[in-house]
Amino acid sequence: MIKVGITGCDNLRAAELVRLLINHPDVELMWAIDHSGEAKRLDHVVPGIVGENDLVVNDDVPHSGVDLVFTCDARGRQSRVLESLGLADDTRVIDLSGSHNLDHGEDKPWAYGLSEMQRRVLVHGTRMVTMPGNAAVASLIALMPMARNLLLNSPLDLRVAMGTLGFPCNDAGHPVTIDGLDAEQWVAEQRQEVAMALKLCQSSFNQPVDMSITPLGERRTLAVAARFSCGVDEEMVRQLYEQYYHDHNFVFLVDRPIVTADVENTNKCLIHLEKDETRRLLTVHAVMDVLLKGSAGNAVHLMNLLFGLHERVGLSLKATGC
């Protein structure tokens, strides 16, 4: 069994992670910490798990006796929290806090946690993994086959639509902060992350990346429409996507517009291609659940890779169907 701890257990992504981990057949959740410091039952913090777990949050237990720690703390607190735990040198860490990105120093201790880009790295002794932002996840999944084939040679227009669980708004409909950033700062960070990741995949990539974000009615859904010039015909593009993702467990190409029920409450990212041959424009639509494939589900997927488990273990989840 993989012994696991969670820090920052007082937000939506942490709650979703708990729900996955307590039902994972190869995981034992040993402890959880939130920022209140007050001892309380985990099922008082995480809705929907009454009768499934009797763990106490902030219980006075040793925090070093685990194989893996998920950090879900507020941005910037992660390093201090890890230092306070006194973890063994071989303890693995998956950071969901957004405290790191692709540019994190010369020694680069943090591997980038996107399996569709870094799977070989993640299965070979990686200890510390930083999670991408959820808009970056969908954008990069939409663009990775083109980047790997050196076909991103025009400006990129990324239009992100995100449900209220990821893009909260106040009663007047105006967006409030996302992960501690205002909407403009968050978009700028996600745009930079996408550009840096694409540069790693296609060294010749030097095109401007424009990103916009709008709220979406469906609470859990995140959708990206990535539009760019493409001189390759539609059938060839389809083959490139099918070849790239044929051995990936959670990304699927579909030949119709994607509906919410296709992805909600699953760890899937679905892709739909739309080619305008007249204007030589390709639009790649990528749709996923913002809390699963965009956050907690991706974190469990990464854990499975780090510990040599099948990628789908604990992630055969139920779609809404309506």
Side-chain angles (χ1 to χ4, degrees):
M1 298 289 282
I2 305 169
K3 295 182 178 180
V4 169
I6 300 177
T7 72
C9 191
D10 52 7
N11 54 64
L12 288 172
R13 61 182 166 229
E16 198 79 343
L17 181 59
V18 167
R19 296 185 193 102
L20 294 175
L21 292 176
I22 64 175
N23 290 296
H24 194 293
D26 294 293
V27 167
E28 182 178 3
L29 182 57
M30 304 297 293
W31 48 259
I33 303 170
D34 73 9
H35 298 129
S36 71
E38 176 188 352
K40 68 199 89 170
R41 287 178 59 92
L42 184 60
D43 58 17
H44 292 177
V45 179
V46 179
I49 66 167
V50 174
E52 298 183 49
N53 188 280
D54 59 2
L55 199 70
V56 175
V57 178
N58 300 322
D59 199 5
D60 187 18
V61 298
H63 295 136
S64 56
V66 292
D67 305 303
L68 170 69
V69 173
F70 292 96
T71 58
C72 304
D73 308 275
R75 179 184 298 266
R77 296 187 61 171
Q78 185 255 22
S79 59
R80 296 195 303 273
V81 171
L82 284 179
E83 288 175 6
S84 70
L85 297 177
L87 301 175
D89 290 342
D90 60 350
T91 305
R92 295 178 177 179
V93 178
I94 297 177
D95 175 31
L96 289 77
S97 72
S99 298
H100 304 277
N101 56 35
L102 282 164
D103 184 18
H104 39 62
E106 294 180 0
D107 54 349
K108 299 189 184 300
W110 294 91
Y112 194 56
L114 183 63
S115 68
E116 289 78 14
M117 172 182 167
Q118 294 273 82
R119 186 162 59 178
R120 291 183 181 178
V121 172
L122 294 166
V123 299
H124 287 97
T126 296
R127 191 175 79 82
M128 303 174 77
V129 181
T130 179
M131 293 268 293
N134 42 37
V137 169
S139 299
L140 290 170
I141 288 175
L143 296 169
M144 200 58 55
M146 303 301 285
R148 292 294 192 192
N149 286 281
L150 310 180
L151 291 172
L152 292 181
N153 301 303
S154 66
L156 298 179
D157 178 24
L158 305 177
R159 300 183 183 181
V160 180
M162 188 157 56
T164 54
L165 291 185
F167 188 41
C169 296
N170 59 24
D171 293 339
H174 301 300
V176 296
T177 59
I178 308 171
D179 287 340
L181 303 175
D182 66 37
E184 186 175 338
Q185 291 171 324
W186 185 86
V187 167
E189 184 179 87
Q190 296 289 288
R191 180 174 62 240
Q192 180 185 31
E193 185 175 343
V194 169
M196 292 174 67
L198 292 176
K199 182 72 173 177
L200 288 178
C201 299
Q202 179 181 326
S203 60
S204 62
F205 180 76
N206 60 357
Q207 298 295 325
V209 178
D210 185 42
M211 179 183 284
S212 61
I213 181 171
T214 56
L216 186 65
E218 291 85 354
R219 297 176 70 240
R220 299 185 63 105
T221 306
L222 186 148
V224 169
R227 182 175 294 120
F228 52 95
S229 296
C230 177
V232 181
D233 68 72
E234 186 172 3
E235 182 55 34
M236 178 60 72
V237 170
R238 175 175 294 277
Q239 290 179 22
L240 292 177
Y241 276 80
E242 289 175 344
Q243 290 168 5
Y244 190 86
Y245 287 122
H246 83 279
D247 63 342
H248 287 264
N249 284 277
F250 297 107
V251 181
F252 303 96
L253 190 66
V254 296
D255 60 1
R256 56 172 173 77
I258 305 161
V259 297
T260 300
D262 289 330
V263 295
E264 277 194 351
N265 294 302
T266 80
N267 199 50
K268 300 172 188 175
C269 181
L270 300 188
I271 295 175
H272 175 64
L273 304 175
E274 185 181 347
K275 185 74 189 292
D276 183 339
E277 297 289 1
T278 303
R279 298 168 58 196
R280 296 168 63 88
L281 285 177
L282 175 66
T283 303
V284 184
H285 300 272
V287 182
M288 66 185 190
D289 186 301
V290 69
L291 289 181
L292 287 169
K293 183 60 177 169
S295 187
N298 189 33
V300 172
H301 182 188
L302 296 171
M303 176 191 70
N304 289 343
L305 290 171
L306 294 181
F307 288 90
L309 303 177
H310 191 282
E311 294 178 53
R312 295 185 66 91
V313 175
L315 291 170
S316 297
L317 307 176
K318 178 182 179 296
T320 56
C322 61

